[in-house]
Structures are given as C-alpha cells and as structure tokens.
Amino acid sequence: MMDRLRKLLCAFLLLVFVLPLAGCWDRRELQERNLVLAIALDLADEGLKPGQSQETVKAETFVQPTGSKRYRLSLQILKYEAKGAGSKGGGGQGARKTFVLSNTGESLFEMVRDMLGQSSRALYFEHMQVVIISEAVLRQTNLAPILDFFFRDAEMRSRIRVYATPGQARPLLEFKPPTGEPGGIYLNNIARNHVKNAHIGTARTDLGHIIQALDNDADVIMPRIDIQDEVVKIRGLAVFRRDRFGGYLDEYAVQGIRFVRGTERGAIITAPCPVHPGEILALELVKHETKLTPHVAGDDIYFTLDINMTGNLSEVHGAQPNTYDYKNKDALEQAFAQEVLANVSYAVRQSQTVGCDTLYFGSKLKAHEPETWKRVKERWDEIYPAISLYTSVNVRIRNIGVHR
Amino acid sequence: MQKKIPLENESLFTKLQNLKTLIAGASEVKEDIETLVRTLNEHCVESEAYQLKTALQVNIEHLREILSGSDDIQFREFWIVPFQVKAAIVFLEGMIDQGIINEHIIEKLTASRSSHKFCLEQLALIDSIRNIILTAASVTKEDSMEAIISRILSGDAALFIDTVNTALVIATRKVEFRAVAEPETEAEVLGPRDGFTEELRVNITLIRRRIINPNLIIKKQHIGIRSKAEVAVVYLRGIANFKLIHEVEKRLKNITLDIPAPSGMHNLLEDKPFSIFPTVMSTERPDKLAAALAEGKAGILVDGTPFCYIAPSTFPDFFKAGDDYYEKWLPAALIRITRYAAAFFALTMPALYVAVTSFHPGLLPTPLVLTIGTSREGVPFPAFVEALIMEALLEIMQEAGIRLPKIIGPAVSIVGGLVIGEAAVRAGLVSPPLIIVTSFTAIATFSISSYRLGLPLRLLRVPLMCLAASLGMFGVMCGLLAIAVHLSILESFGEPYLAPLVPKSRANLSDLKDTIVILPATQMVERPDYLEPPDGKRQKGE
C-alpha cells in the first residue's frame, strides 16, 4: 500500500514538474499580442504616409537578397487604450483605435516577420479582417502568388475580406471610421450590407471563396473599394480572368450579375413610370426565383434564364396623392420586368467584354452537361464571350403600399 | 590508624554508594507506583465485568465504581414500605423527567395500601412492583449491568431492589432538543417547512408521518465502540433491494471508530474515501428522504445530527431539489439543466478564461478581444496569477461568511465585494472581466442544489486553472477528461456513480426520465431500475 502510494506520488510530482517545463511555450497574454486587423499591399514606392521622407522609407526597408518585384506591406494593428486614458475623455469617439506599420520587400511572410523589428509585441493574424490590394500590384502580378501567403498561413481565416482598390491601399488603413470602430472591423462590416443592396457585390467573395475559385480553375471576382478624402465606399467589382486582373465592373453591372446568379437577397429596382412619363418608380424585391439552365444544340451552347420576382411598390414619383391605382398594376409589372431584362443584358455584355465568367456559366455547364464541358473546357475563354443568354422575366407586385 | 583509615574510608564509601543507589532505586519505584496509580485511576471501567448481585449495597457500590467519575449521577435510596425492602433508584439528573420519578415511582412505592399483600401472594416481588405498583408507561426488567448502565446513560431510571438480582428500568427520558424547524441548508420554495432535528426519535416520527405503512422498517443499532451512538436504518420493505440493506447494515457494523461524529458519518460509509466527490448524500429534509425511500433507497438516521444519509447516492442525485417535483415539469427540467450548466461553469469558467486569454485569443469574436484587451491593458499579472488572486479572495470570503457571527456578515460582503473588488479594478491590479468571471463562478457554485457537491468543484477549479495556464485549452480538456474518468470509476454502495446517466442496459433507459431532465410524475411509472427494486412499478393500474 505504502509502496503503491509512493509510486503514485512520484508519478504525480513528475507530471506536475513536467507541466511548466513543457507547457507555457505559446502562452502570451491577450493584451501582449499585436492583433493585425488589416493588411494593405502597395508597390514598394507607393503607399507612403503623407509627408513621409525618403529617410524613413529607408529605415523601414527590409533588404531581401532574392527577388525583383518589390511590394510595400502595411499592417493595421489593434491598439488597446488603458482604462484610465479612456475615462478622462481622451478616448471614445475621437481616438484612433489602430496604428499602421509598414515595410517593403517581396516575400510577404518575410516582411511580416521583419516587421517584428518595429513592434514591441509579437504579431498575430487570428483576427484579420481585410486584405486590400492596390490596382498597381494587381496589374504587375497575378493574384495567386500574392494571396498564397494568406492561403497557407494557419492563423488566417477564410472569412477575411479581400478588396481591390484603384488607388493606393495604405490610406484605407489609416482611414478613421466615424463610428469609432477599429478601421479593419469597419471595412469588413461594410461588406456585410450586400444583403440589403444588390449593388454591393461582396457576396461569396471572401478569402475562402477566392481559394475555392482558384482551386476550381474558375474566374475570381472581388469587390472594389474606393477612398476619397473621408469617403470610403464599395463600388462594383474587380474581375479577373482566372487570377489575372481584367478590370472593373460598375454597380449597375453588379446588380445584373447578381440577378443572373440569383444571389441578390434584397434589391431596389427603379423603372420609368408607364403612367406618368418622366417620373420613376421603385420596387423593393421581396422574393425571387432564378433558374439558369445551359442548353447544348450540336456545337452551339446557349443559356436560358427564368426570373420570377415578387416585390412591393416602395416609392412612386408623380402620383398624387401617394397612392397608386390597382388597375395600373400590370403596366407597372411590365415596366419593372423590362428594367430587369435591360439590367441583365447590360451585365452579361459587360462581363463578356471583360472576358471574366462572373455569371458562373462555366460551372453551370460543368454541372449540367459534363460531357460538353469536357469538350469545351480548353477553349472556354474563346467560347464564353460569344454565349447567348435568353432571359425571361416575370415581376409580380404584391403590395402597392397604400396608405390613407 | 594510618592504615585503618583508608580501609574504614573505603567501607564508608561503599556504604554511601549503596545508599545512593538505593535512594535512586526507591525514587524510580515511587515514580512507577505513581504512574501505576494514575493509570489505575484512569483505567476505563468495563461495565461487562460487573454482574448484578442480590445485595442492594453491593450493586450500588458497583454502580458507584463504574460511574464514579461523573457527578451528575444520582442515587436515591428509600424503603419500599409495603414489602419492607430497601431499594434505590439511579438516574442522570439532567436527562430525566422528575415528574415521573416523583409521582409514578417513589410516591407509589413508599405509600402503603391494603392491596399489596394480595400482590405478593399472587406474584413475585419484582413482578408485583412492575405490574401493579409502578404506573410509568414503560418498565422493563434487566439483569445485565451493561444494559442497565447504557439505559441510565441515555436518560432512563434504574430501580434496584434489595434481595433481587434483577433491576427495573423505567423510561423516564426527557431530553431537551431543538424544535422541528425549517432546514437551513436546503431552502426550497414549495417544499414542506419541517426539517430533521438532532433527536433521532423526532426524526423517525417525521418519516413515519409521511409514509404510513407497516412496511416502513426502522432498524436500530449502536455504532462507535465508546460512544454507542444510536443509528437507525430506514427502508421500505418490498421496495428496497435487500442486498442494499444488507450492505448498509454491514458498513455500519464495520465502523471501528470509537466515537464517530454523527455529522461526519458519511465519511465512514463511502466506497472510496479518498475521492473528493461525495458518494453519500446528506439531507435535512424529511420529504427528500421519503422520496428516496419510495425509489428504493435506504436512509441512515443518526442520533445527534439533523442530517440524514441516503444510500446509494449517485452523481445526478446531487443536482436534484425537492422543488423539481413540486413544480411543473417543464420549468423544473429547465431549472435542473441550469444547475448542470452552473456546475460546469463553476468548474471551468476561470480555466476557460485563462486558456482563452493567454493561449487562444483567436477563439474570441474580435469585438470581445477589443473589450478584454482594453480592460486588461496595464494589468501587471498574467491572467493565471490574476485568476489565482481572485480565486483566493473568493474562497477566503466564502469561508469568512460561514464562520463569522451572522451580525458581522454584511460587513464582510461590503468590505470583500465592494471595497476589494472595486478598489482592485481601480488600482489596475485585476481586470473587470475577471471580476465578472469570478463572481459568475461563485454564483454558479451556489446555485447547485447541493453544498457538498460544490466543494469538489471549488477544489478542482485550481488544478484546472493550472492546466489551462500551462497547456491552454488542451490542458483544460485533459483535466475534464480525467474528472470524467474518475467519476465513472466511483461507486456508491456498489452502484456506479453515474448510474442513471449511463444506463447499464436498454431496460435502464427509462431511468433517464429523472436525471438531467424531469418528466411529469404521471409519466414516471417505474422506479429507478439501477437500484433493482423487488417491486419496480410505481403506479398501479393497467
């Protein structure tokens, strides 16, 4: 009994001593971690801080022995304010919740690690919100090599937003949101509003979806974000042929694309009023059924699109008082259907001009006509711009919004 | 002379030497005798060694010897006038009802009546006194000194009569005890307001009053080699499994402690005394015991404690409260689930906090990281040390709250809760989220219906925290796994500790009706199967 007890005690003590020796290796208090919220990628000599001298650029620069393409990587890091400072009125709305570090080099990972030379605390990417890539970088390199670091690193999450910006990317990191949120969180949250607005093309464009598209050899799309003075807005899409930057599509085209793909969850459709010429009407989309079907007739491939929409009449200009007569309902529905049809054909034209399969024709064909897909896969880039889409739209107004 | 002097000196020297050793020896002997006398004086008197004699004086001498140390023993000698015999009545002064001794014993025996002669003709002396003269309710004949002594010590009076080697023991016990009051450790909303007291006989009546059935068996025995405390095993014949009753009685008999504490009896009955989890439940509520008896369990009532022990008690039993059965079933089930959740949080909350903040901030939503990070900025300690400090503070405050006189209680809560908590945060020693975690933990501990299950949870919090601080979430999971393994090894009176939760067979699945959830009483047709009751049906009909 005693012997057994002694043995047990020895084993227990051994365990207790081993724990602090083997454990604790990655223990680091939350407030001692520098959490990176956003990453901006510019060309090496762009994305400077306003008024930044060449001397400071030199100080930041990391000299990498290999590679010729040079980027500037900027990190937006979450800053905690001590409690006392906040309560004295300095914090709250006015204070900036983040700060930016930047570096130049070619390997993103190496630049990140080199950044530790500028940071008192280790960098962690578990709360990354957005990656912003400037157009200049996209025009210089394909997307896959740039994003490769984000695909491989274990700390990156699939729900990171990826944006393209026509100007420089770094100013977006320095943007101070009016809500007082940390900048990265603000930039991520803008993208969530696509539910209520079909113009915002952020549905299924986060890092995980981009990985998926690249893995499936499909065309990548990502939202475009602009900053002008104090205005930040998501405007349209940046489209790619595979991972090669192809250009931008505007908001109107985005709405049309989302009609084709059936990813709109809410939309406002405006149409000219058939009863009062020169005035406009607005319809709030409530429900929709979209069916995109590929057809193959010999060598000819074409698609049909059936859209059934139900909505509420939500804004009427030109009718006094602000109610509308039921007898005009059919004419109104016609007008809206015309508008949707125009929107869709605009989107298809734009997409085919750029040459990016934003409409997912390729994957539809692969799913429905695998044999045909095998045949045309190699020539898809040539075939795609010439594919015709036959659209039929049926709009039903459920509620004309009568009020007395 | 010159020559003789050394010689004489020598003999004188040896004589002195001898005297010295003699004195030393004598003092040794004296010491020995003194210790012997002391031990003889303190030697425990064994009452079995004495036998009842016919001579009254001898018996009294014997009694004086056995009980000589105590001053509260009373000898009252008198003459039984009608029979002209000497007699003595012996009792403990604080434990008897003087009225009975005065009116029903001494008065009756000293008065002379004509009928007495007739008595002697018909019956022996002792029987005529017992059957005709004494008017007390319970009078028994005893002829073993040991039994008489133990009756006297428990408050009865013994009547010794000259010329007879049998004594009469009259039930005169009148012990002061606390009135039946509301149970203090198990408050309930809808439950009955009576609770057990320290007096065994009162406790038995509380049970008898609830289950009026001849099959309610109460088996008394004495435990403790010196204290001879009275213990009653209570069960329902035909419902409780006889193997269980046998086991309970065996364990009680096997208690070898000389003076066991009545309130700590569960420690002597447990299957694995080294485990920190309680495997014998104690309750102050007679309704809880009655319900347990109806399920086929056994109750152990001990004189001197208001706590009754229920055997067997499994893990889910500690989460049950009487209110669960008095309330509607759905809210009751939700409340019970809440208790399980509370137990989980009470056990793991600080550990999870430590693990998440120092190892895996990636698990938190980003806004929460911002909040915690902001409040922890400037706190000098790692989360683990911080949590340890708060944990120590909490334990000290809990202990102070229990031990302090009730009047000072509010002062403790003000100083502890407001001053220390608020000041620690203000001073930046502790972060506010941790205060929330600690207070949540404390409240979660209180909300488990059993105080005794709360103790191991409180105890296990700290090792879990250590694991969290060294291995992160992995350590917490290892710790929880170890606890789960331990729980599944434990047994209570031979029943697995997780008994109805982990059914032995498909037949036992119906036991789950009253574990984490609770079904309406009408749906619980069967008694818990794991107890193997001889009569498993709870509801008759169909």
Side-chain angles (χ1 to χ4, degrees):
Chain A
M1 182 66 195
M2 259 341 267
D3 206 40
R4 202 168 139 246
L5 217 70
R6 193 168 300 148
K7 265 186 198 162
L8 269 175
L9 197 73
C10 280
F12 180 72
L13 281 181
L14 207 67
L15 211 70
V16 167
F17 292 140
V18 159
L19 275 185
L21 285 177
C24 304
W25 63 271
D26 65 346
R27 189 190 70 80
R28 191 179 277 269
E29 295 299 313
L30 183 128
Q31 75 274 21
E32 285 160 13
R33 297 175 184 232
N34 264 346
L35 297 177
V36 179
L37 289 184
I39 289 182
L41 203 64
D42 287 298
L43 288 181
D45 31 357
E46 287 181 340
L48 300 181
K49 210 184 214 167
Q52 193 177 20
S53 71
Q54 282 304 310
E55 288 304 305
T56 37
V57 174
K58 228 177 190 174
E60 283 180 351
T61 302
F62 155 62
V63 182
Q64 199 167 331
T66 49
S68 56
K69 287 172 260 170
R70 318 253 309 143
Y71 306 113
R72 168 173 295 277
L73 184 77
S74 310
L75 306 183
Q76 187 192 52
I77 293 162
L78 190 62
K79 184 165 70 179
Y80 307 118
E81 304 141 55
K83 254 266 134 57
S87 60
K88 271 173 203 145
Q93 289 282 322
R96 195 180 285 281
K97 293 241 166 70
T98 54
F99 61 98
V100 178
L101 291 181
S102 103
N103 199 345
T104 61
E106 180 158 1
S107 154
L108 300 191
F109 202 10
E110 207 163 3
M111 276 190 273
V112 164
R113 281 292 157 92
D114 186 63
M115 215 88 84
L116 290 175
Q118 297 182 44
S119 169
S120 62
R121 297 158 175 178
L123 300 170
Y124 287 85
F125 294 87
E126 288 152 337
H127 287 278
M128 271 280 293
Q129 305 286 320
V130 292
V131 176
I132 304 163
I133 307 167
S134 79
E135 189 189 320
V137 172
L138 290 173
R139 287 198 185 282
Q140 182 188 300
T141 330
N142 283 5
L143 189 63
I146 302 173
L147 289 181
D148 194 70
F149 164 60
F150 300 97
F151 298 165
R152 286 180 200 279
D153 196 273
E155 282 178 29
M156 300 295 172
R157 302 288 183 253
S158 297
R159 295 286 90 87
I160 295 174
R161 294 279 171 196
V162 186
Y163 291 121
T165 181
Q168 295 184 3
R170 178 170 171 156
L172 279 158
L173 299 194
E174 312 223 309
F175 169 68
K176 199 171 86 181
T179 49
E181 291 168 280
I185 295 175
Y186 182 85
L187 293 178
N188 189 326
N189 284 347
I190 304 178
R192 295 186 174 185
N193 293 327
H194 70 81
V195 176
K196 290 204 162 187
N197 187 347
H199 291 163
I200 300 178
T202 50
R204 302 197 205 153
T205 54
D206 58 25
L207 189 63
H209 288 103
I210 291 179
I211 295 176
Q212 218 172 23
L214 289 177
D215 284 350
N216 291 342
D217 212 17
D219 292 338
V220 175
I221 52 170
M222 62 169 71
R224 156 188 170 166
I225 192 163
D226 280 32
I227 180 167
Q228 191 64 52
D229 300 325
E230 289 297 291
V231 178
V232 168
K233 193 184 180 213
I234 295 184
R235 312 177 51 188
L237 285 174
V239 291
F240 294 76
R241 288 187 294 271
R242 298 290 179 277
D243 63 336
R244 181 90 205 128
F245 180 64
Y248 299 108
L249 295 181
D250 60 17
E251 287 101 321
Y252 191 56
V254 169
Q255 176 158 304
I257 290 169
R258 295 187 66 182
F259 285 156
V260 175
R261 283 165 54 180
T263 56
E264 82 275 21
R265 304 228 327 248
I268 308 298
I269 301 161
T270 52
C273 182
V275 188
H276 302 78
E279 303 286 356
I280 58 159
L281 302 165
L283 178 87
E284 189 192 2
L285 188 64
V286 176
K287 207 173 88 180
H288 69 94
E289 277 167 39
T290 307
K291 194 167 160 62
L292 179 68
T293 328
H295 299 274
V296 182
D299 275 347
D300 192 21
I301 299 168
Y302 63 95
F303 280 73
T304 54
L305 179 68
D306 284 308
I307 301 178
N308 280 299
M309 284 179 168
T310 309
N312 296 335
L313 196 62
S314 55
E315 197 177 349
V316 172
H317 291 194
Q320 290 300 334
N322 282 340
T323 52
Y324 217 85
D325 206 341
Y326 264 109
K327 70 173 192 277
N328 294 324
K329 212 179 95 187
D330 287 351
L332 260 70
E333 288 174 348
Q334 283 291 326
F336 283 120
Q338 280 302 320
E339 167 56 28
V340 172
L341 205 60
N343 198 341
V344 165
S345 56
Y346 177 79
V348 172
R349 206 164 51 242
Q350 291 283 317
S351 298
Q352 287 181 334
T353 314
V354 181
C356 169
D357 188 4
T358 55
L359 307 166
Y360 285 2
F361 282 177
S363 53
K364 274 280 172 194
L365 191 67
K366 189 178 173 185
H368 289 264
E369 306 280 346
E371 294 301 318
T372 317
W373 174 247
K374 261 184 215 156
R375 257 189 305 124
V376 302
K377 202 163 66 176
E378 300 303 320
R379 296 178 294 124
W380 182 247
D381 286 346
E382 302 157 28
I383 294 171
Y384 169 68
I387 287 177
S388 11
L389 176 73
Y390 301 99
T391 315
S392 75
V393 183
N394 180 20
V395 176
R396 203 169 72 80
I397 297 176
R398 195 175 66 177
N399 197 335
I400 57 166
V402 179
H403 73 102
R404 294 178 206 285
Chain B
M1 277 308 267
Q2 284 284 329
K3 270 186 183 175
K4 261 194 176 174
I5 288 168
L7 253 177
E8 278 179 359
N9 273 358
E10 207 171 314
S11 67
L12 195 64
F13 184 72
T14 41
K15 271 181 188 168
L16 279 172
Q17 202 85 0
N18 288 344
L19 191 63
K20 211 174 162 188
T21 47
L22 198 69
I23 291 169
S27 68
E28 265 176 36
V29 169
K30 189 189 161 213
E31 267 174 34
D32 281 352
I33 290 172
E34 268 175 10
T35 44
L36 189 67
V37 167
R38 216 178 298 135
T39 44
L40 277 175
N41 277 348
E42 288 191 358
H43 180 67
C44 177
V45 185
E46 299 293 337
S47 47
E48 300 103 64
Y50 295 88
Q51 281 185 343
L52 218 54
K53 300 283 190 275
T54 41
L56 178 66
Q57 224 47 51
V58 177
N59 283 336
I60 286 177
E61 272 317 304
H62 284 171
L63 275 174
R64 272 191 210 284
E65 265 171 42
I66 297 167
L67 301 164
S68 59
S70 311
D71 296 329
D72 58 344
I73 192 91
Q74 300 279 318
F75 297 89
R76 166 78 162 83
E77 291 176 49
F78 56 93
W79 279 87
I80 300 179
V81 181
F83 308 133
Q84 283 155 29
V85 215
K86 257 186 107 173
I89 186 155
V90 186
F91 54 89
L92 284 176
E93 65 184 352
M95 296 177 74
I96 46 96
D97 187 350
Q98 288 228 330
I100 298 180
I101 297 201
N102 290 345
E103 290 167 28
H104 297 282
I105 304 171
I106 301 181
E107 201 185 302
K108 292 278 151 51
L109 290 172
T110 46
S112 168
R113 290 211 189 109
S114 56
S115 60
H116 291 157
K117 207 154 238 160
F118 155 78
C119 300
L120 270 184
E121 285 163 9
Q122 298 295 318
L123 293 164
L125 173 64
I126 184 99
D127 286 327
S128 55
I129 289 174
R130 174 171 179 260
N131 295 355
I132 296 165
I133 298 177
L134 291 182
T135 49
S138 158
V139 180
T140 45
K141 286 199 282 186
E142 286 285 358
D143 41 17
S144 109
M145 196 56 132
E146 193 196 350
I148 293 167
I149 294 288
S150 84
R151 291 289 298 271
I152 291 173
L153 288 178
S154 51
D156 293 338
L159 180 70
F160 293 91
I161 304 153
D162 208 8
T163 71
V164 181
N165 67 345
T166 307
L168 289 177
V169 179
I170 304 118
T172 54
R173 188 186 324 187
K174 189 187 176 194
V175 185
E176 290 302 320
F177 54 82
R178 194 166 59 92
V180 172
E182 200 170 343
E184 291 211 353
T185 56
E186 289 167 85
E188 264 170 27
V189 183
L190 298 175
R193 296 285 181 260
D194 57 345
F196 286 130
T197 67
E198 284 78 0
E199 176 66 24
L200 178 64
R201 288 186 299 177
V202 177
N203 294 351
I204 290 174
T205 46
L206 289 178
I207 291 299
R208 279 257 184 238
R209 213 171 63 190
R210 282 193 164 71
I211 304 174
I212 302 167
N213 190 316
N215 286 323
L216 177 68
I217 306 296
I218 289 160
K219 282 247 172 88
K220 285 191 187 174
Q221 55 176 292
H222 293 268
I223 58 162
I225 291 168
R226 278 173 208 266
S227 69
K228 297 268 190 294
E230 208 171 357
V231 171
V233 178
V234 190
Y235 62 95
L236 276 168
R237 190 167 56 198
I239 291 177
N241 193 316
F242 68 93
K243 275 188 284 183
L244 171 70
I245 306 304
H246 183 72
E247 178 68 25
V248 170
E249 285 177 343
K250 198 178 85 190
R251 285 197 194 182
L252 284 172
K253 276 202 188 77
N254 285 351
I255 291 176
T256 48
L257 205 61
D258 55 352
I259 304 175
S263 287
M265 201 65 80
H266 50 268
N267 293 328
L268 303 171
L269 298 170
E270 284 186 324
D271 296 49
K272 288 201 168 60
F274 279 104
S275 170
I276 54 170
F277 282 93
T279 53
V280 180
M281 190 160 71
S282 46
T283 179
E284 259 189 293
R285 305 194 66 93
D287 57 321
K288 219 168 170 176
L289 176 61
L293 294 181
E295 284 192 340
K297 296 184 177 178
I300 301 161
L301 294 159
V302 186
D303 197 28
T305 179
F307 290 98
C308 152
Y309 305 101
I310 295 175
S313 319
T314 60
F315 189 63
D317 291 339
F318 288 90
F319 289 95
K320 293 175 185 172
D323 274 340
D324 297 353
Y325 302 93
Y326 311 140
E327 196 42 83
K328 295 287 277 182
W329 70 278
L330 195 55
L334 282 175
I335 289 170
R336 202 178 262 182
I337 291 170
T338 314
R339 266 184 232 127
Y340 278 92
F344 178 76
F345 285 128
L347 181 66
T348 57
M349 206 49 186
L352 288 180
Y353 177 78
V354 169
V356 165
T357 55
S358 19
F359 283 88
H360 325 284
L363 287 176
L364 293 171
T366 310
L368 189 58
V369 168
L370 187 64
T371 315
I372 295 180
T374 306
S375 58
R376 283 185 56 79
E377 180 77 13
V379 173
F381 304 114
F384 172 62
V385 176
E386 210 186 350
L388 263 192
I389 294 173
M390 286 310 292
E391 188 63 33
L393 198 67
L394 171 68
E395 290 303 318
I396 291 170
M397 265 164 53
Q398 277 187 36
E399 191 56 21
I402 294 175
R403 304 294 158 222
L404 261 182
K406 278 196 180 126
I407 314 158
I408 320 180
V412 173
S413 51
I414 288 170
V415 172
L418 295 176
V419 179
I420 297 182
E422 180 68 22
V425 171
R426 282 279 168 105
L429 290 177
V430 180
S431 64
L434 193 79
I435 300 266
I436 298 170
V437 167
T438 313
S439 6
F440 179 60
T441 312
I443 291 171
T445 318
F446 301 149
S447 72
I448 309 167
S449 55
S450 160
Y451 171 75
R452 285 189 48 219
L453 187 68
L455 294 178
L457 296 184
R458 270 160 70 181
L459 192 142
L460 285 172
R461 269 209 295 264
V462 178
L464 268 187
M465 262 158 57
C466 295
L467 281 172
S470 55
L471 297 174
M473 204 60 99
F474 174 69
V476 178
M477 290 303 144
C478 286
L480 288 179
L481 202 64
I483 293 171
V485 167
H486 177 69
L487 283 179
S488 54
I489 290 172
L490 276 185
E491 283 186 347
S492 171
F493 287 87
E495 297 298 339
Y497 196 46
L498 296 176
L501 280 184
V502 187
K504 271 188 267 185
S505 66
R506 285 193 48 187
N508 290 17
L509 272 177
S510 74
D511 295 358
L512 291 174
K513 286 176 185 172
D514 186 17
T515 46
I516 294 178
V517 292
I518 177 168
L519 259 59
T522 48
Q523 294 301 307
M524 288 194 266
V525 183
E526 284 162 354
R527 289 179 219 290
D529 245 345
Y530 73 97
L531 293 168
E532 294 169 17
D535 178 10
K537 278 267 181 286
R538 213 177 229 178
Q539 296 181 13
K540 297 295 172 219
E542 302 205 18

